[in-house]
Each structure stands twice: as structure tokens, then as C-alpha cells.
């Protein structure tokens, strides 16, 4: 049973999560030959102030 954990910055819509879950599930079924019902995806939301890239907090980025 594939257990897939996805970390992403907060703010993604429910529709985006649905679309992502569908695409990742389809890939797991195709590539891993997993049963669709056994593919588990967990979303972990991270707040922008809780992550830094290149020494800069995401909440401080302007680009």
C-alpha cells in the first residue's frame, strides 16, 4: 500500500488538492501497480513563516 505524504505551503484550494490526489493516485496505480483503493495521500500544510529557502523565510519573499 503506497503511503504518500505531501508537504506544501498553505493556501492551496480544495480543488487543487483533489486534482493533485487524482494525478498522483493514477501514477501510483500505473507505475507501482498498486490497487487504487490502497493509495493513501496525506497533505501536510506548512505556513510560510515556518519554512525558509536560501536563508529567507517564505513569508518574507516578495517574488
Amino acid at each position: 500500500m503506497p503511503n504518500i505524504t505531501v508537504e506544501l505551503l498553505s493556501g492551496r484550494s480544495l480543488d487543487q488538492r483533489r486534482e493533485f490526489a487524482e494525478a498522483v493516485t493514477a501514477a501510483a496505480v500505473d507505475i507501482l501497480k498498486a490497487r487504487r483503493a490502497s493509495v493513501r495521500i496525506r497533505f501536510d500544510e506548512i505556513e510560510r513563516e515556518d519554512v525558509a529557502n536560501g536563508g529567507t523565510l517564505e513569508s518574507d519573499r516578495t517574488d
Side-chain angles (χ1 to χ4, degrees):
M1 160 184 353
N3 290 300
I4 301 163
T5 302
V6 179
E7 291 184 353
L8 47 104
L9 292 176
S10 62
R12 299 306 198 289
S13 71
L14 191 55
D15 285 338
Q16 287 174 312
R17 290 172 183 238
R18 284 184 180 118
E19 186 176 351
F20 185 88
E22 174 56 38
V24 171
T25 299
V29 169
D30 184 47
I31 296 166
L32 302 176
K33 307 303 183 212
R35 288 184 308 114
R36 183 174 185 78
S38 72
V39 178
R40 179 177 178 256
I41 300 171
R42 187 182 82 203
F43 292 97
D44 289 340
E45 277 197 355
I46 302 171
E47 296 302 320
R48 292 190 177 280
E49 63 269 10
D50 294 333
V51 65
N53 288 314
T56 303
L57 287 174
E58 280 298 314
S59 59
D60 294 338
R61 295 181 67 90
T62 58
D63 56 344

